[in-house]
Amino acid sequence: MKYDLINSNLFIKNRKNFKAKMVSNSLAVFNANDIYPIGADSTMPFQQDRNLFYLSGVDQEESILVLFPDCPNAKHREILFLTETNAHIAVWEGEKLTKEKAFETSGVKTVYWLQDFDKIMKEIMSQADTIYINTNEHYRANVATETREARFNKKIKEQFPAHKVEKSNPILQRLRSVKDPLEIDLIQQACNITEKGFRRVLKFTKPGVWEYNIEAEFIHEFLNNRSKGFAYTPIVGSGNNANVLHYIENNQQCKAGDLILIDAGAEYANYASDMTRTIPVSGRFNDRQKAVYNAVNRVKNEATKLLVPGTIWADYHIEVGKLMTSELLGLGLLDKADVQNEDKDWPAYKKYFMHGTSHHMGLDTHDYGILTEPIQANMVFTVEPGIYIPDEGFGIRLEDDVVVQETGEPFNLMRNIPIEIEEIEDIMNS
Ligand SMILES: [Mn+2]
């Protein structure tokens, strides 16, 4: 791993919280992600299953975590199964977790090699009444491949048809949405790396650069700061490309006078950061661009204040819609009649701002969190309003990541990343 070892107390505490939600005499199983193939013997870079990582810190393929808090054998209340390693295997396959290193990483004392899994499972399943299986119920999930976890779930239900089955997902959604201070620190580190990338881009950008040159500036800074790369596929859209919400081609030349919408964030230790800035190719905004930019920035600042404990996500979006409507009236993009005649299911402002304002962020860029339940302290959200005007050849989105506080305004993890027009222009022209 490129990142520094994480304090294992985080994972010990996460497991303790999960176990506290389990019904009596039950066990829960969590599987690593597969390494996905490309072709021949090529593979995609490994990305750990976020739940297994959350509960163990194990960042290695073919790993399984079992939690069985009521197990009569105290040794089997927490077990990690890992792919076998030794000095000889390490020469060929590179360094893998030893049992000692796995304990240091996760705090799990009982570590077996994977080949013992079936035997141990048979033994402990006979002592349990219920098995928690893990499925991905994220509101945006759309998974076409069969994950290692899905294969496991099929197999275990076949092998042990008499066991009761419970879902891990609601527990994980609730736990993962409220961040531990150690997690907030990791997300802050990801944001700080993003900041370095953005400052580099501000100095680099000028008429004639290509969108992919900007992408390259980010990745240079990310890798030099122990990030393995972008937390999600970056968007670098100049001119009207900014109005294609999921533009990821990043293959056009940036022209004088245009704006560039940059939605890019570093990952650090599997934690995401998610930033959007919009900057002028030439280093100066024109008056119209400034007016729209400041409108978006005001909506962002006002929306942020609404992210307080007790707020319901859907109600928050209605309030942000009102803020945006008033700004669009001010900019002359909407008139009073547009608003009076609007369809309540698709309000007038959505012509220029058609996506959501906030999502949970953490181990996943669009992180777990149950949106119908009230917002709580220590949830991390993005705030990312935008105004997209294809007729005027530009689109503006601004996005920060914030932590909800017990009282008062959220804490902005991107407070040091330039966002005010003067600061952006000063750096670009320095
Ligand atoms: Mn976002």
mmCIF file with all atom_site columns, all heavy atoms in Angstrom, residues 291-303:
data_model
loop_
_atom_site.group_PDB
_atom_site.id
_atom_site.type_symbol
_atom_site.label_atom_id
_atom_site.label_alt_id
_atom_site.label_comp_id
_atom_site.label_asym_id
_atom_site.label_entity_id
_atom_site.label_seq_id
_atom_site.pdbx_PDB_ins_code
_atom_site.Cartn_x
_atom_site.Cartn_y
_atom_site.Cartn_z
_atom_site.occupancy
_atom_site.B_iso_or_equiv
_atom_site.pdbx_formal_charge
_atom_site.auth_seq_id
_atom_site.auth_comp_id
_atom_site.auth_asym_id
_atom_site.auth_atom_id
_atom_site.pdbx_PDB_model_num
ATOM 1   N N   . ALA A 1 291 ? -20.751 36.663 -12.678 1.00 0.00 ? 291 ALA A N   1
ATOM 2   C CA  . ALA A 1 291 ? -22.093 36.758 -12.077 1.00 0.00 ? 291 ALA A CA  1
ATOM 3   C C   . ALA A 1 291 ? -22.654 35.364 -11.818 1.00 0.00 ? 291 ALA A C   1
ATOM 4   O O   . ALA A 1 291 ? -23.204 35.089 -10.742 1.00 0.00 ? 291 ALA A O   1
ATOM 5   C CB  . ALA A 1 291 ? -23.019 37.561 -12.999 1.00 0.00 ? 291 ALA A CB  1
ATOM 6   N N   . VAL A 1 292 ? -22.504 34.485 -12.786 1.00 0.00 ? 292 VAL A N   1
ATOM 7   C CA  . VAL A 1 292 ? -23.043 33.123 -12.617 1.00 0.00 ? 292 VAL A CA  1
ATOM 8   C C   . VAL A 1 292 ? -22.231 32.377 -11.554 1.00 0.00 ? 292 VAL A C   1
ATOM 9   O O   . VAL A 1 292 ? -22.775 31.680 -10.691 1.00 0.00 ? 292 VAL A O   1
ATOM 10  C CB  . VAL A 1 292 ? -23.052 32.366 -13.969 1.00 0.00 ? 292 VAL A CB  1
ATOM 11  C CG1 . VAL A 1 292 ? -23.560 30.930 -13.779 1.00 0.00 ? 292 VAL A CG1 1
ATOM 12  C CG2 . VAL A 1 292 ? -23.902 33.113 -15.007 1.00 0.00 ? 292 VAL A CG2 1
ATOM 13  N N   . TYR A 1 293 ? -20.901 32.559 -11.613 1.00 0.00 ? 293 TYR A N   1
ATOM 14  C CA  . TYR A 1 293 ? -20.010 31.898 -10.650 1.00 0.00 ? 293 TYR A CA  1
ATOM 15  C C   . TYR A 1 293 ? -20.390 32.278 -9.213  1.00 0.00 ? 293 TYR A C   1
ATOM 16  O O   . TYR A 1 293 ? -20.545 31.416 -8.341  1.00 0.00 ? 293 TYR A O   1
ATOM 17  C CB  . TYR A 1 293 ? -18.563 32.313 -10.934 1.00 0.00 ? 293 TYR A CB  1
ATOM 18  C CG  . TYR A 1 293 ? -17.522 31.553 -10.150 1.00 0.00 ? 293 TYR A CG  1
ATOM 19  C CD1 . TYR A 1 293 ? -16.795 30.529 -10.747 1.00 0.00 ? 293 TYR A CD1 1
ATOM 20  C CD2 . TYR A 1 293 ? -17.235 31.874 -8.821  1.00 0.00 ? 293 TYR A CD2 1
ATOM 21  C CE1 . TYR A 1 293 ? -15.814 29.830 -10.044 1.00 0.00 ? 293 TYR A CE1 1
ATOM 22  C CE2 . TYR A 1 293 ? -16.276 31.184 -8.104  1.00 0.00 ? 293 TYR A CE2 1
ATOM 23  C CZ  . TYR A 1 293 ? -15.561 30.163 -8.720  1.00 0.00 ? 293 TYR A CZ  1
ATOM 24  O OH  . TYR A 1 293 ? -14.606 29.473 -8.011  1.00 0.00 ? 293 TYR A OH  1
ATOM 25  N N   . ASN A 1 294 ? -20.552 33.559 -8.990  1.00 0.00 ? 294 ASN A N   1
ATOM 26  C CA  . ASN A 1 294 ? -20.867 34.000 -7.629  1.00 0.00 ? 294 ASN A CA  1
ATOM 27  C C   . ASN A 1 294 ? -22.245 33.525 -7.188  1.00 0.00 ? 294 ASN A C   1
ATOM 28  O O   . ASN A 1 294 ? -22.462 33.259 -5.999  1.00 0.00 ? 294 ASN A O   1
ATOM 29  C CB  . ASN A 1 294 ? -20.737 35.524 -7.523  1.00 0.00 ? 294 ASN A CB  1
ATOM 30  C CG  . ASN A 1 294 ? -19.261 35.941 -7.515  1.00 0.00 ? 294 ASN A CG  1
ATOM 31  O OD1 . ASN A 1 294 ? -18.403 35.203 -7.007  1.00 0.00 ? 294 ASN A OD1 1
ATOM 32  N ND2 . ASN A 1 294 ? -18.963 37.107 -8.080  1.00 0.00 ? 294 ASN A ND2 1
ATOM 33  N N   . ALA A 1 295 ? -23.157 33.393 -8.137  1.00 0.00 ? 295 ALA A N   1
ATOM 34  C CA  . ALA A 1 295 ? -24.485 32.856 -7.796  1.00 0.00 ? 295 ALA A CA  1
ATOM 35  C C   . ALA A 1 295 ? -24.348 31.409 -7.323  1.00 0.00 ? 295 ALA A C   1
ATOM 36  O O   . ALA A 1 295 ? -24.928 31.012 -6.302  1.00 0.00 ? 295 ALA A O   1
ATOM 37  C CB  . ALA A 1 295 ? -25.415 32.948 -9.009  1.00 0.00 ? 295 ALA A CB  1
ATOM 38  N N   . VAL A 1 296 ? -23.572 30.623 -8.055  1.00 0.00 ? 296 VAL A N   1
ATOM 39  C CA  . VAL A 1 296 ? -23.367 29.218 -7.661  1.00 0.00 ? 296 VAL A CA  1
ATOM 40  C C   . VAL A 1 296 ? -22.688 29.157 -6.290  1.00 0.00 ? 296 VAL A C   1
ATOM 41  O O   . VAL A 1 296 ? -23.074 28.371 -5.414  1.00 0.00 ? 296 VAL A O   1
ATOM 42  C CB  . VAL A 1 296 ? -22.525 28.460 -8.721  1.00 0.00 ? 296 VAL A CB  1
ATOM 43  C CG1 . VAL A 1 296 ? -22.185 27.049 -8.234  1.00 0.00 ? 296 VAL A CG1 1
ATOM 44  C CG2 . VAL A 1 296 ? -23.260 28.400 -10.057 1.00 0.00 ? 296 VAL A CG2 1
ATOM 45  N N   . ASN A 1 297 ? -21.712 30.012 -6.097  1.00 0.00 ? 297 ASN A N   1
ATOM 46  C CA  . ASN A 1 297 ? -20.967 30.017 -4.829  1.00 0.00 ? 297 ASN A CA  1
ATOM 47  C C   . ASN A 1 297 ? -21.874 30.393 -3.654  1.00 0.00 ? 297 ASN A C   1
ATOM 48  O O   . ASN A 1 297 ? -21.779 29.801 -2.574  1.00 0.00 ? 297 ASN A O   1
ATOM 49  C CB  . ASN A 1 297 ? -19.784 30.991 -4.940  1.00 0.00 ? 297 ASN A CB  1
ATOM 50  C CG  . ASN A 1 297 ? -18.681 30.664 -3.933  1.00 0.00 ? 297 ASN A CG  1
ATOM 51  O OD1 . ASN A 1 297 ? -18.660 29.577 -3.342  1.00 0.00 ? 297 ASN A OD1 1
ATOM 52  N ND2 . ASN A 1 297 ? -17.775 31.609 -3.737  1.00 0.00 ? 297 ASN A ND2 1
ATOM 53  N N   . ARG A 1 298 ? -22.778 31.358 -3.893  1.00 0.00 ? 298 ARG A N   1
ATOM 54  C CA  . ARG A 1 298 ? -23.716 31.724 -2.815  1.00 0.00 ? 298 ARG A CA  1
ATOM 55  C C   . ARG A 1 298 ? -24.641 30.553 -2.492  1.00 0.00 ? 298 ARG A C   1
ATOM 56  O O   . ARG A 1 298 ? -24.904 30.276 -1.315  1.00 0.00 ? 298 ARG A O   1
ATOM 57  C CB  . ARG A 1 298 ? -24.549 32.955 -3.225  1.00 0.00 ? 298 ARG A CB  1
ATOM 58  C CG  . ARG A 1 298 ? -23.821 34.283 -3.073  1.00 0.00 ? 298 ARG A CG  1
ATOM 59  C CD  . ARG A 1 298 ? -24.794 35.459 -3.206  1.00 0.00 ? 298 ARG A CD  1
ATOM 60  N NE  . ARG A 1 298 ? -25.387 35.547 -4.539  1.00 0.00 ? 298 ARG A NE  1
ATOM 61  C CZ  . ARG A 1 298 ? -24.859 36.227 -5.558  1.00 0.00 ? 298 ARG A CZ  1
ATOM 62  N NH1 . ARG A 1 298 ? -23.733 36.899 -5.408  1.00 0.00 ? 298 ARG A NH1 1
ATOM 63  N NH2 . ARG A 1 298 ? -25.466 36.257 -6.724  1.00 0.00 ? 298 ARG A NH2 1
ATOM 64  N N   . VAL A 1 299 ? -25.144 29.877 -3.524  1.00 0.00 ? 299 VAL A N   1
ATOM 65  C CA  . VAL A 1 299 ? -26.024 28.727 -3.266  1.00 0.00 ? 299 VAL A CA  1
ATOM 66  C C   . VAL A 1 299 ? -25.257 27.667 -2.469  1.00 0.00 ? 299 VAL A C   1
ATOM 67  O O   . VAL A 1 299 ? -25.773 27.085 -1.515  1.00 0.00 ? 299 VAL A O   1
ATOM 68  C CB  . VAL A 1 299 ? -26.581 28.123 -4.578  1.00 0.00 ? 299 VAL A CB  1
ATOM 69  C CG1 . VAL A 1 299 ? -27.343 26.828 -4.294  1.00 0.00 ? 299 VAL A CG1 1
ATOM 70  C CG2 . VAL A 1 299 ? -27.483 29.129 -5.288  1.00 0.00 ? 299 VAL A CG2 1
ATOM 71  N N   . LYS A 1 300 ? -23.996 27.456 -2.841  1.00 0.00 ? 300 LYS A N   1
ATOM 72  C CA  . LYS A 1 300 ? -23.194 26.457 -2.124  1.00 0.00 ? 300 LYS A CA  1
ATOM 73  C C   . LYS A 1 300 ? -23.056 26.838 -0.633  1.00 0.00 ? 300 LYS A C   1
ATOM 74  O O   . LYS A 1 300 ? -23.259 26.009 0.254   1.00 0.00 ? 300 LYS A O   1
ATOM 75  C CB  . LYS A 1 300 ? -21.805 26.309 -2.752  1.00 0.00 ? 300 LYS A CB  1
ATOM 76  C CG  . LYS A 1 300 ? -21.014 25.152 -2.155  1.00 0.00 ? 300 LYS A CG  1
ATOM 77  C CD  . LYS A 1 300 ? -19.624 25.032 -2.709  1.00 0.00 ? 300 LYS A CD  1
ATOM 78  C CE  . LYS A 1 300 ? -18.683 26.035 -2.087  1.00 0.00 ? 300 LYS A CE  1
ATOM 79  N NZ  . LYS A 1 300 ? -18.425 25.793 -0.641  1.00 0.00 ? 300 LYS A NZ  1
ATOM 80  N N   . ASN A 1 301 ? -22.735 28.103 -0.401  1.00 0.00 ? 301 ASN A N   1
ATOM 81  C CA  . ASN A 1 301 ? -22.525 28.525 0.988   1.00 0.00 ? 301 ASN A CA  1
ATOM 82  C C   . ASN A 1 301 ? -23.808 28.453 1.813   1.00 0.00 ? 301 ASN A C   1
ATOM 83  O O   . ASN A 1 301 ? -23.789 28.036 2.975   1.00 0.00 ? 301 ASN A O   1
ATOM 84  C CB  . ASN A 1 301 ? -21.944 29.944 1.026   1.00 0.00 ? 301 ASN A CB  1
ATOM 85  C CG  . ASN A 1 301 ? -20.523 29.963 0.484   1.00 0.00 ? 301 ASN A CG  1
ATOM 86  O OD1 . ASN A 1 301 ? -19.810 28.948 0.534   1.00 0.00 ? 301 ASN A OD1 1
ATOM 87  N ND2 . ASN A 1 301 ? -20.093 31.106 -0.059  1.00 0.00 ? 301 ASN A ND2 1
ATOM 88  N N   . GLU A 1 302 ? -24.916 28.860 1.207   1.00 0.00 ? 302 GLU A N   1
ATOM 89  C CA  . GLU A 1 302 ? -26.197 28.818 1.929   1.00 0.00 ? 302 GLU A CA  1
ATOM 90  C C   . GLU A 1 302 ? -26.663 27.376 2.118   1.00 0.00 ? 302 GLU A C   1
ATOM 91  O O   . GLU A 1 302 ? -27.194 27.023 3.167   1.00 0.00 ? 302 GLU A O   1
ATOM 92  C CB  . GLU A 1 302 ? -27.259 29.647 1.187   1.00 0.00 ? 302 GLU A CB  1
ATOM 93  C CG  . GLU A 1 302 ? -26.983 31.152 1.208   1.00 0.00 ? 302 GLU A CG  1
ATOM 94  C CD  . GLU A 1 302 ? -26.790 31.690 2.622   1.00 0.00 ? 302 GLU A CD  1
ATOM 95  O OE1 . GLU A 1 302 ? -27.653 31.427 3.486   1.00 0.00 ? 302 GLU A OE1 1
ATOM 96  O OE2 . GLU A 1 302 ? -25.756 32.359 2.868   1.00 0.00 ? 302 GLU A OE2 1
ATOM 97  N N   . ALA A 1 303 ? -26.491 26.556 1.096   1.00 0.00 ? 303 ALA A N   1
ATOM 98  C CA  . ALA A 1 303 ? -26.906 25.146 1.195   1.00 0.00 ? 303 ALA A CA  1
ATOM 99  C C   . ALA A 1 303 ? -26.133 24.455 2.315   1.00 0.00 ? 303 ALA A C   1
ATOM 100 O O   . ALA A 1 303 ? -26.701 23.693 3.110   1.00 0.00 ? 303 ALA A O   1
ATOM 101 C CB  . ALA A 1 303 ? -26.670 24.432 -0.134  1.00 0.00 ? 303 ALA A CB  1
#
